Amino acid sequence: MNLLRKILFPFAIIYGIITSFRNFLYDTGVLKSYSFNLPIISVGNLSVGGTGKTPQIEYLIRLLNEKYKIATLSRGYKRKSNDFILADANVNASIIGDEPFQFYSKFPNIQVAVDANRKNGIEQLLSQFSKPELILLDDAFQHRKVKAGLDILLTSYNELYSDDFQLPTGNLRETRNGAKRANIIVVTKCPSDLSNKSRNEITKKLKIKSNQQLFYTTIAYDDFVYSKNGKRSVSEIENVDKLLLAGIAKPQSFFKYLYNKSEVCLTFSDHHDFTDKDILEIINKAKNKIIITTEKDYVRLNGRIPKEQLFYLPIQSIFLEEGEYFDKIITNYVEFSLRNS
């Protein structure tokens, strides 16, 4: 914890009191939460980014999209637009945000919408001629105006919410007590060989309630990098000179997976809006080397860097154990909700 964050500790206490009072108003019904007559799954976190929400949402899409008509609803962080937008052929990452545009690009058979007002966004989706049977709320754990049927809370293995503190001293958007609202807690970005001893220690730290389910996932990187022109295996390019580029919250594992001693690495802030100056800097530093970036950055860089030079590395969220049990919880909830809707 740096000195400035320590100095701001009194403000963190005030911030915690404010968010706790807001939650109290929702818990007691003074502030109203709205329910809807279809299954709604919320994926969120207590901290400010970097817990792996996007691969978790994509996991749920893959699990459910063959059987149900799915819509994702996001805020559309840093988008250059306002109000409700339903993605179509006219949108791009600037209009709806990088993560929603990634969903739209990868899963053409689902509806992708953005609206900072989640209640209005759901109402707009349900007013469509082809309305969804299921809505996945992206980064909506603190948006209590909508009551999701199932809340999935993510926390990163190296930065558990139990070890953190609320803003601005720490990185939590509300106090740790907020975790009690979650139905499912997923510890993300775990080592693939996480021991039973470590799991037991984490369970104690997180103070899991009897009505909550706890799961552990890791990030699996693809064996290939992809471009407009095709793909190349990671093993094939292991010793090829390349430039690695990331504008995500915690890029260390991305760099580590691809890095060799001759690599040039460029780091930008999360959801960075690449300017023409940035693009020129990237191309100049890359020279004639291939450029490998994250999937989220690719949707913002595609079309601005020569297509034969720009590649991206996909990732997926993989459960260490009990993935089938997680799937069963999700599918049982959806089926039960649809039967009773």
Side-chain angles (χ1 to χ4, degrees):
M1 188 185 301
N2 62 38
L3 179 60
L4 178 59
R5 287 201 163 197
K6 289 180 179 178
I7 293 171
L8 293 173
F9 180 77
F11 295 96
I13 296 296
I14 295 169
Y15 177 76
I17 291 170
I18 292 170
T19 57
S20 295
F21 183 64
R22 174 180 177 270
N23 282 327
F24 170 77
L25 294 178
Y26 274 110
D27 291 339
T28 56
V30 175
L31 293 178
K32 186 176 180 181
S33 294
Y34 294 85
S35 299
F36 292 87
N37 197 26
L38 82 167
I40 297 176
I41 301 174
S42 167
V43 177
N45 53 20
L46 293 182
S47 63
V48 285
T51 57
K53 291 186 299 296
T54 301
Q56 185 63 58
I57 290 281
E58 291 187 354
Y59 182 95
L60 293 172
I61 294 171
R62 292 188 183 95
L63 174 65
L64 299 165
N65 72 343
E66 290 187 6
K67 193 171 180 180
Y68 305 104
K69 290 163 57 177
I70 296 176
T72 64
L73 178 60
S74 313
R75 175 176 52 163
Y77 185 60
K78 286 193 175 181
R79 62 184 169 119
K80 296 178 180 178
S81 61
N82 298 304
D83 304 322
F84 175 84
I85 295 177
L86 182 62
D88 59 21
N90 298 313
V91 304
N92 56 36
S94 294
I95 293 173
I96 63 171
D98 48 20
E99 290 159 343
F101 190 66
Q102 181 175 319
F103 299 150
Y104 177 73
S105 302
K106 291 180 73 171
F107 305 102
N109 59 328
I110 72 169
Q111 293 174 300
V112 176
V114 292
D115 197 331
N117 184 332
R118 301 309 204 282
K119 175 179 176 289
N120 181 70
I122 293 172
E123 290 170 345
Q124 292 290 332
L125 281 168
L126 296 180
S127 71
Q128 303 296 313
F129 175 75
S130 178
K131 61 185 180 181
E133 298 174 304
L134 161 68
I135 295 176
L136 302 177
L137 294 181
D138 179 21
D139 195 17
F141 193 72
Q142 283 78 32
H143 295 268
R144 299 199 59 188
K145 199 169 187 178
V146 170
K147 183 172 177 57
L150 197 66
D151 274 302
I152 301 175
L153 177 67
L154 309 183
T155 185
S156 180
Y157 169 78
N158 287 320
E159 294 180 316
L160 299 172
Y161 61 74
S162 56
D163 299 331
D164 208 342
F165 202 72
Q166 58 263 20
L167 293 163
T169 296
N171 292 315
L172 300 185
R173 295 188 277 190
E174 59 177 293
T175 68
R176 289 169 286 201
N177 286 333
K180 67 184 179 184
R181 300 196 306 274
N183 304 106
I184 295 172
I185 296 174
V186 181
V187 182
T188 63
K189 302 183 179 181
C190 297
S192 57
D193 59 351
L194 185 67
S195 68
N196 288 330
K197 180 182 177 182
S198 295
R199 296 183 197 200
N200 291 335
E201 290 172 353
I202 291 171
T203 302
K204 291 178 182 177
K205 275 188 173 185
L206 298 182
K207 299 179 180 178
I208 302 299
K209 306 296 183 184
S210 59
N211 63 332
Q212 295 177 314
Q213 301 291 335
L214 178 64
F215 295 92
Y216 297 88
T217 64
T218 189
I219 291 296
Y221 290 96
D222 204 294
D223 294 328
F224 294 86
V225 293
Y226 298 81
S227 74
K228 279 281 188 181
N229 290 343
K231 64 183 182 180
R232 297 179 67 176
S233 70
V234 172
S235 58
E236 172 195 345
I237 63 168
E238 185 176 356
N239 295 315
V240 174
D241 284 348
K242 48 194 175 289
L243 181 143
L244 306 180
L245 185 161
I248 58 176
K250 297 177 178 69
Q252 293 84 356
S253 59
F254 166 77
F255 288 134
K256 184 178 179 182
Y257 182 72
L258 294 169
Y259 183 76
N260 68 44
K261 291 182 181 179
S262 64
E263 238 70 274
V264 175
C265 297
L266 285 180
T267 304
F268 294 87
S269 60
D270 195 18
H271 301 280
H272 182 70
D273 184 13
F274 292 96
T275 64
D276 291 340
K277 182 180 178 181
D278 294 329
I279 299 299
L280 186 61
E281 177 192 0
I282 292 165
I283 292 173
N284 287 339
K285 287 194 175 181
K287 298 180 180 177
N288 294 319
K289 300 174 184 176
I290 64 171
I291 299 168
I292 303 178
T293 189
T294 70
E295 200 164 6
K296 189 168 76 170
D297 292 307
Y298 181 81
V299 300
R300 283 176 279 133
L301 293 168
N302 186 26
R304 304 181 68 189
I305 290 174
K307 62 182 180 180
E308 64 276 4
Q309 196 174 9
L310 184 63
F311 292 78
Y312 67 90
L313 176 69
I315 62 173
Q316 287 193 35
S317 178
I318 303 294
F319 284 82
L320 297 184
E321 285 183 3
E322 298 187 320
E324 290 183 1
Y325 181 45
F326 175 87
D327 294 353
K328 187 176 180 181
I329 293 174
I330 300 299
T331 54
N332 283 352
Y333 159 69
V334 173
E335 290 170 4
F336 177 81
S337 297
L338 288 173
R339 280 199 307 268
N340 291 277
S341 62

